[in-house]
Amino acid sequence: MSIHSTITPAVSAVPADAPLYEERPWGAFWSLDRGAAHQVKRIRVNPKGRLSLQYHYHRAERWVVIEGTATITVDDAVMKVQPGGVVMIPKGAVHRLENLTKTPVEIIEVQMGDYLGEDDIVRLDDAYNRPKREARA
């Protein structure tokens, strides 16, 4: 007699080889949770660091500032966001987070979409001279 498991791993919009932690020129991120149509990350942006000006084809994002003061651009709007502040980034919106302060900024990022790989980043401007499209690992 054999026992077969009926538990099937959940399908995820995040590629199986996607990193759980990665350092970037501006700071680092940790993937906290992944599901069929979502990913939750904790993102730390070092003082004077900034993410690329970018957009995504496959996902929308919600950013919740949990530490520091973030300068966030979404399309033509630029705002300073304090801890507890929430910013919605629709799919296709041009966006960036900058840390113009002397202390780290941390956010919780909730990604929602049908594909959540790092190669869905299209960079329009980047202070660190990275490629326009993120390469898939």
Side-chain angles (χ1 to χ4, degrees):
M1 178 175 164
S2 66
I3 299 174
H4 298 282
S5 173
T6 58
I7 299 172
T8 307
V11 176
S12 178
V14 181
D17 60 353
L20 293 174
Y21 169 80
E22 189 168 307
E23 292 185 11
R24 294 286 177 112
W26 42 260
F29 72 79
W30 296 260
S31 180
L32 304 176
D33 187 50
R34 298 172 173 183
H38 79 276
Q39 177 170 217
V40 179
K41 288 183 176 180
R42 183 176 187 140
I43 297 174
R44 174 178 290 144
V45 181
N46 295 329
K48 307 302 179 191
R50 66 190 217 172
L51 281 62
S52 59
L53 186 66
Q54 60 186 253
Y55 66 91
H56 309 288
Y57 287 110
H58 298 278
R59 69 177 179 245
E61 297 174 339
R62 178 176 293 186
W63 290 350
V64 180
V65 177
I66 59 172
E67 183 180 318
T69 300
T71 300
I72 297 174
T73 300
V74 180
D75 290 328
D76 294 327
V78 178
M79 59 206 96
K80 292 202 180 299
V81 184
Q82 303 288 329
V86 179
V87 175
M88 298 292 299
I89 303 164
K91 181 169 49 173
V94 174
H95 60 283
R96 163 183 280 160
L97 185 148
E98 298 176 87
N99 180 357
L100 304 177
T101 73
K102 295 179 180 179
T103 59
V105 166
E106 290 201 11
I107 67 168
I108 298 298
E109 175 183 83
V110 179
Q111 303 173 350
M112 299 291 298
D114 59 3
Y115 178 73
L116 304 173
E118 289 297 303
D119 55 335
D120 186 34
I121 297 172
V122 180
R123 294 189 179 99
L124 303 173
D125 179 56
D126 185 64
Y128 311 104
N129 298 313
R130 293 174 293 172
K132 296 289 182 197
R133 292 292 303 253
E134 188 70 23
R136 189 158 185 196

